[in-house]
Every structure is written in C-alpha cells, then in structure tokens.
Amino acid sequence: MSIVTRFAPSPTGHLHLGHAHSALFGWHAAVDHGGRFLLRIEDIDPVRCRPEFERDLIEDLEWLGLDWPGPVRRQSEYLEDYRAALERLDRIGVTYPCFCTRREIDEEIARAGHAPHGPDGPLYPGTCRSLTPGERADRIARGMPFAVRIDVALASELTGPLTWHDRAAGTVPASPGVLGDAVLARKDVPTSYHLSVTVDDHLQGVTLVTRGEDLFFATHLHRLLQALLGYLPPEYHHHGLLTNERGERLAKRDKAVSLRALRAAGRTPAEVRAMAGFP
C-alpha cells in the first residue's frame, strides 16, 4: 500500500523552523518511498485564521521545495463532513451538550480543590455530563449556547480496549481518558481539532500521520473516535520537536523566527532545510 502523509498547518501566523521540520518530515516519509504528501489547511478558527497567512505559508512551503497534489483541503469548506460525523456519534449516544463557560469550569475546579490532570492541565470536571435529558432540552430550548463533548468513559465501554501503532513508540494501548471529556464541536463552530483531524485523515486516505510529539496524547482520543466512527486507524510517527536555546519548543505565540524572516535575511532554501534538520 502506498504511503500517504499530510502536513496540516493552521493559517494563524507565519511558519517557523518547527513547521518546516514537520512538513519536511512528512514529505520525505512519503515521497522518498514513492508515496503522496498532502497539504491540508486547518482553518476552522474564524477569528485567528486569515487568508494572507494561508497564502504566505503555501509560498514558504513551495520555496522550501515541497510539492503536493491539488486541490488543497480547507476545513472551512467541509463543515458538513464534520456535522455528519458528529450526528453519527450523537446517534451512538456518546456525546452530550456542555453549557459551561471557561470561567465556570475554572470555578468548579477551584471549588473541588483538586481535579484529574491531563497533559495540558486540569481536565473538565464533567459538570454537564450529569444533566438529565429534560434539563438539557430545557436549556437548549431557552437558547443557551453549548459545546458538544464526548463521554469518554461511556465511549470506551462501547469500543473496548484499543491500540495504535507508532513508528517511534511501537504498539501503544489507547488511553482516551487522558484528555477527559474533550470538546468535539464548539459553540461557534460545528467541529473541533480532534473531530476534524480524525475525519479528514480518514476521508483523505492518510496512511501515516506524521506530527510532533506534543500531539502524542491527542492520538489516544483520535483512536477512540476512529473506532466509534468505523474508520481504519492509520499508522503514526510522532517526531521530536525543534527547540530554542532555552530548550523550549518553537511556537508562533513565542514569536519564533519565521521562514519569511529567514528568507528576507538572505537564507537559501537549502540552508533553511538544513536548519530544520533536513540537509
């Protein structure tokens, strides 16, 4: 079977060396073995995503020497795909509406004095999971905004034990609860990262998901969603991350030096590829 990988940036800023490393990693994993490398634009955030960033990132990737078949899949153009998957999960009975605001969640965690922790901090305490069907219907009828969460414990009971294979870590037993009852659809967007990336990888025929090790824990949840939706799981390879002089991973929010800045400084594509770990 031919390898199909993808690079899926969000157009919320300019690409930096960490993005270049991830894109080149996926490109080589496919193309060096006669496979296909896809570009996908994860633009479901209507506030932070901007078309000029998309234009610039495509230009930067082409400048690096990467190519991909068209058309490029933009998540904002396929919201119906995610709605359909969400409706399927709802029919199975593993989702529930969450009416909590971020402030209310923080206050609930503070009142409890402690809360289960995941890789990114305290997990959602399950406040709305215990609402009765009548209470949920009443709040929806009153127009209260809500997100949609997955009941991980119930979903895990339905699927039973699961595993996934990582080229770096081997066979990994899935532990979906590591992220708690994650959000699958937000109050203003009918999907979330976890749902859309799972649906996209399936629909695009991705056979090898290459991405940074910071997303390793997300794969536990994605494996659960695949099982619930009847998708065959791809293989994974979570690669190491480029870091700065303080040992911190490169990030847009920390104003990591962008590829465009390196280009403006006169760096060549070969030099930037070497800086990204691919001489």
Side-chain angles (χ1 to χ4, degrees), residues 1-277:
M1 181 174 61
S2 178
I3 295 174
V4 181
T5 65
R6 80 319 190 255
F7 177 57
S10 295
T12 57
H14 288 123
L15 300 182
H16 53 63
L17 283 173
H19 295 116
H21 176 80
S22 190
L24 288 162
F25 191 100
W27 192 87
H28 281 290
V31 176
D32 289 356
H33 298 88
R36 290 190 301 135
F37 168 82
L38 306 178
L39 177 65
R40 183 167 72 222
I41 304 298
E42 299 193 342
D43 60 346
I44 58 174
D45 186 333
V47 176
R48 298 173 61 227
C49 293
R50 290 159 50 182
E52 59 265 34
F53 287 140
E54 178 185 330
R55 180 192 64 235
D56 290 349
L57 73 84
I58 289 176
E59 183 181 288
D60 285 343
L61 293 173
E62 291 175 337
W63 177 81
L64 275 178
L66 276 65
D67 58 358
W68 50 86
V72 172
R73 182 178 174 97
R74 293 172 179 82
Q75 290 181 335
S76 61
E77 299 172 355
Y78 293 91
L79 297 182
E80 286 306 315
D81 289 341
Y82 314 132
R83 286 193 183 96
L86 194 65
E87 289 172 359
R88 187 171 178 181
L89 295 172
D90 180 61
R91 289 195 298 271
I92 296 172
V94 295
T95 63
Y96 62 90
C98 175
F99 305 90
C100 299
T101 64
R102 169 50 57 185
R103 180 177 178 180
E104 289 169 340
I105 293 172
D106 292 341
E107 290 174 347
E108 178 63 27
I109 291 173
R111 280 194 298 270
H114 63 86
H117 275 61
D120 298 319
L123 299 179
Y124 174 67
T127 307
C128 289
R129 190 193 314 125
S130 60
L131 293 176
T132 66
E135 290 172 323
R136 293 172 181 172
D138 177 66
R139 295 188 183 194
I140 293 173
R142 287 190 281 124
M144 291 183 65
F146 62 91
V148 177
R149 292 184 181 271
I150 182 170
D151 187 329
V152 172
L154 177 57
S156 297
E157 287 181 11
L158 292 177
T159 64
L162 300 168
T163 62
W164 47 278
H165 185 263
D166 185 279
R167 288 190 173 185
T171 300
V172 182
S175 301
V178 71
L179 297 182
D181 286 3
V183 170
L184 298 184
R186 304 195 176 278
K187 297 175 181 178
D188 56 342
V189 182
T191 188
S192 69
Y193 167 74
H194 297 300
L195 180 62
S196 56
V197 73
T198 301
V199 172
D200 287 342
D201 286 339
H202 169 70
L203 293 180
Q204 292 192 284
V206 174
T207 65
L208 174 62
V209 174
T210 62
R211 57 189 180 196
E213 60 189 6
D214 55 323
L215 289 169
F216 185 88
F217 290 106
T219 304
H220 291 280
L221 175 59
H222 299 174
R223 182 66 189 94
L224 177 65
L225 292 173
Q226 290 159 0
L228 292 167
L229 293 168
Y231 299 165
L232 290 175
E235 190 178 13
Y236 290 86
H237 193 156
H238 293 85
H239 57 72
L241 304 173
L242 295 191
T243 58
N244 59 24
E245 62 278 3
R246 297 184 299 277
E248 302 164 339
R249 73 180 180 93
L250 302 181
K252 294 176 186 175
R253 64 177 178 274
D254 298 325
K255 295 182 172 57
V257 177
S258 69
L259 301 188
R260 298 190 77 76
L262 293 171
R263 291 174 58 186
R267 296 284 191 173
T268 67
E271 288 175 326
V272 173
R273 287 196 297 269
M275 293 169 68

